[in-house]
Amino acid sequence: MKIAVIGTGYVGLVTGTCLAETGNDVICVDINTQKIEKMQQGELPIYEPGLELLFHRNILQKRIQFTTDLSAAVHHAEIIFMALPTPPGADGAADLSYILGAAKDIALLITSYKVIVNKSTVPVGTADKVKAVFESITTVDVDVISNPEFLREGVAVEDFMKPDRVVIGTTSERAKKIMSALYAPYVRQGNPVIFMDERSAELTKYAANSFLATKITFMNEIANLCELVGADVDAIRRGIGTDERIGKRFLFPGIGYGGSCFPKDVQALVKSADEHAYNFEILKSVITINEKQKVILADKLLNFYKNDISGKHFAFWGLSFKPETDDIREAPALYLIETLLKQGASISVFDPEGQENVRAIFNDRISYAENQYAVLEGADALLIATEWSLFRNPDFEKMEDLLKEKVIFDGRNLFELEKMAELGYYYNSIGRKLISKVQTPHQSFAITT
């Protein structure tokens, strides 16, 4: 099939590349000339495992191309995907200006039937608004459908190529037939293509992300309670995760959720509810709790240093909001760094992929290390903000030589408590017992039970 993808951000680029991988003829469009030129030269602008191989293979086999020429892409395509940003406004509502602007531009160009696919996460009723744009500009027949993405950064290629389900919102039989044929290669193992009306599809995406954000937040609340009552959140996670009604995923406690989806989607759903005079209380609580959880390591650290960290130097392992991505949007590490800088501390950081994105924000306000050990040199303590695999089995002897004190604040629960007690570390994690078998210049600790 001939396809155009408008927008080459994370969703658009993964979508375009994976659609080309099954033999479709894909043109990806973006207004960013520099970005398009780099992709035309074979340079991938994002980090996503498995994407680079598909990207280069489909360029070589001429199944995917990149352009700033919207007209050429529109005339080429039978199906047009809109994968455009919907950033939250000051009030939390999704900004639809990119979507509606692109719809207007496309409407001015089309001369034959097209399926317009909204891949972006948008509020209920957006498909109707897009349809209205076309009807106000052209008499050419189009079907505007909702096809929300459920890609997890770090495994997005696998998610697209082998989806657990595909959700398509349309009441058009013509569009159903086209989209069924398009997605047939991806659901050969029997996973469903679920058709529904446009509004239900739009709300499905918000409902899914908001539920997962709620699940994460609930476990963080349980973890915080565990620390007060002396329980172990890992044991509780295993105890409830084996209940098939609950499931094992999204039960790991930590320092809150971030990224490009959960924060804005929860806010947008709350705003949408407010617009219909419905008080979505549980999601409002999720937002409030998550904001506090993002800086809980700073609270622990300030308590350890008796609220005085002026002149202290701290090392960070991890900056991206999750491992296997360079995405730092709403990453807890950013909030932690800002909080500690305001308290007079200095910061050095290391992340395998997200480091340059953070440099663009903090510039020389913090320092950047070339590896996970160099960042530790001269640090008073280590803070772990992202659970990259390379952090899970470090050389603790080497760490001991580099750190001023054997002090770790772990926001991702990477290490076993018994191991840290044996090594003599002060080890403060999330929802587990405090290991404090280390003497510092200001106080002496024992293992907390």
Side-chain angles (χ1 to χ4, degrees):
M1 292 184 175
K2 293 183 177 181
I3 297 168
V5 179
I6 314 303
T8 60
Y10 182 87
V11 172
L13 191 53
V14 171
T15 297
T17 304
C18 290
L19 287 171
E21 180 66 12
T22 54
N24 296 297
D25 186 0
V26 180
I27 297 180
C28 293
V29 186
D30 204 293
I31 61 173
N32 187 327
T33 302
Q34 184 178 15
K35 186 178 184 181
I36 289 295
E37 288 176 351
K38 287 183 177 180
M39 288 189 289
Q40 288 172 341
Q41 295 166 8
E43 184 176 336
L44 192 62
I46 62 171
Y47 172 77
E48 176 61 36
L51 183 61
E52 187 171 10
L53 174 64
L54 271 59
F55 178 77
H56 288 127
R57 179 160 65 207
N58 284 284
I59 290 175
L60 182 65
Q61 297 180 0
K62 301 186 185 305
R63 289 196 297 261
I64 191 169
Q65 54 184 303
F66 307 94
T67 184
T68 57
D69 187 347
L70 178 63
S71 178
V74 168
H75 290 302
H76 159 88
E78 176 184 10
I79 307 171
I80 301 173
F81 283 84
M82 293 197 296
L84 295 160
T86 54
D91 61 355
D95 180 357
L96 297 180
S97 61
Y98 297 99
I99 297 288
L100 299 179
K104 180 179 179 181
D105 293 339
I106 295 167
L108 290 168
L109 293 168
I110 60 172
T111 57
S112 61
Y113 171 79
K114 310 287 183 183
V115 178
I116 309 298
V117 184
N118 191 2
K119 201 69 177 169
S120 305
T121 303
V122 293
V124 175
T126 300
D128 294 336
K129 293 179 180 179
V130 172
K131 181 72 171 177
V133 170
F134 279 92
E135 290 176 345
S136 70
I137 295 174
T138 181
T139 58
V140 176
D141 189 26
V142 299
D143 280 315
V144 178
I145 74 172
S146 175
N147 176 213
E149 54 85 16
F150 298 98
L151 305 178
R152 297 168 295 160
E153 294 190 39
V155 288
V157 171
E158 181 180 351
D159 283 347
F160 196 103
M161 300 301 292
K162 298 178 180 179
D164 54 11
R165 85 286 199 198
V166 177
V167 172
I168 298 175
T170 183
T171 54
S172 164
E173 291 300 322
R174 186 177 184 182
K176 284 182 182 180
K177 184 177 180 180
I178 291 171
M179 296 305 290
S180 293
L182 178 67
Y183 277 112
Y186 305 94
V187 293
R188 295 176 62 193
Q189 295 180 331
N191 291 339
V193 177
I194 305 171
F195 287 99
M196 59 185 72
D197 64 273
E198 295 88 346
R199 287 179 172 244
S200 295
E202 289 165 343
L203 188 52
T204 293
K205 175 58 186 291
Y206 278 125
N209 279 357
S210 295
F211 182 82
L212 295 176
T214 301
K215 195 174 182 181
I216 292 168
T217 303
F218 176 80
M219 282 307 296
N220 285 337
E221 288 279 80
I222 291 293
N224 295 339
L225 180 60
C226 283
E227 294 183 18
L228 298 175
V229 302
D232 186 335
V233 73
D234 285 340
I236 294 168
R237 172 177 56 78
R238 291 190 294 269
I240 67 174
T242 48
D243 186 329
E244 63 181 15
R245 298 169 301 175
I246 297 173
K248 299 177 181 179
R249 296 174 63 184
F250 292 90
L251 292 181
F252 288 87
I255 50 176
Y257 60 78
S260 62
C261 294
F262 286 5
K264 75 176 182 65
D265 290 355
V266 174
Q267 286 183 358
L269 186 51
V270 167
K271 178 62 178 176
S272 181
D274 286 342
E275 290 172 351
H276 290 82
Y278 182 76
N279 183 20
F280 214 140
E281 293 184 73
I282 189 170
L283 290 188
K284 289 179 179 178
S285 295
V286 165
I287 293 170
T288 299
I289 293 164
N290 192 62
E291 291 303 304
K292 293 179 181 178
Q293 196 71 18
K294 284 181 178 180
V295 294
I296 199 168
L297 283 192
D299 295 338
K300 290 170 177 279
L301 185 146
L302 286 167
N303 182 63
F304 178 77
Y305 289 104
K306 298 182 178 180
N307 290 316
D308 183 10
I309 59 171
S310 179
K312 295 289 184 181
H313 181 68
F314 301 114
F316 271 70
W317 276 1
L319 299 168
S320 54
F321 86 95
K322 62 180 287 188
E324 301 302 331
T325 180
D326 60 354
D327 194 342
I328 62 166
R329 286 174 286 186
E330 293 297 319
L334 306 185
Y335 291 84
L336 285 168
I337 291 170
E338 194 64 60
T339 299
L340 299 183
L341 289 175
K342 288 179 180 178
Q343 294 288 330
S346 59
I347 305 291
S348 57
V349 301
F350 172 72
D351 186 281
E353 297 295 338
Q355 200 148 292
E356 291 308 308
N357 292 335
V358 169
R359 191 191 300 269
I361 295 174
F362 288 100
N363 298 309
D364 59 359
R365 295 175 63 201
I366 61 176
S367 58
Y368 308 88
E370 61 184 13
N371 60 58
Q372 70 189 92
Y373 296 109
V375 76
L376 302 177
E377 189 169 357
D380 291 283
L382 166 65
L383 286 78
I384 302 175
T386 313
E387 62 274 32
W388 286 93
S389 295
L390 79 165
F391 300 150
R392 292 185 179 275
N393 293 293
D395 184 335
F396 285 105
E397 290 185 6
K398 189 172 185 178
M399 291 172 62
E400 183 177 345
D401 291 338
L402 294 167
L403 287 166
K404 285 184 182 178
E405 303 178 38
K406 295 164 66 175
V407 177
I408 298 176
F409 294 87
D410 184 356
R412 300 301 180 184
N413 291 0
L414 295 191
F415 308 134
E416 294 297 327
L417 300 180
E418 293 79 5
K419 175 73 171 179
M420 302 312 291
E422 178 185 330
L423 292 172
Y425 273 83
Y426 174 91
Y427 181 65
N428 198 327
S429 53
I430 306 295
R432 304 190 295 176
K433 294 179 181 179
L434 171 65
I435 303 300
S436 50
K437 191 181 176 182
V438 62
Q439 292 189 357
T440 72
H442 43 78
Q443 51 191 328
S444 178
F445 298 94
I447 299 177
T448 303
T449 60

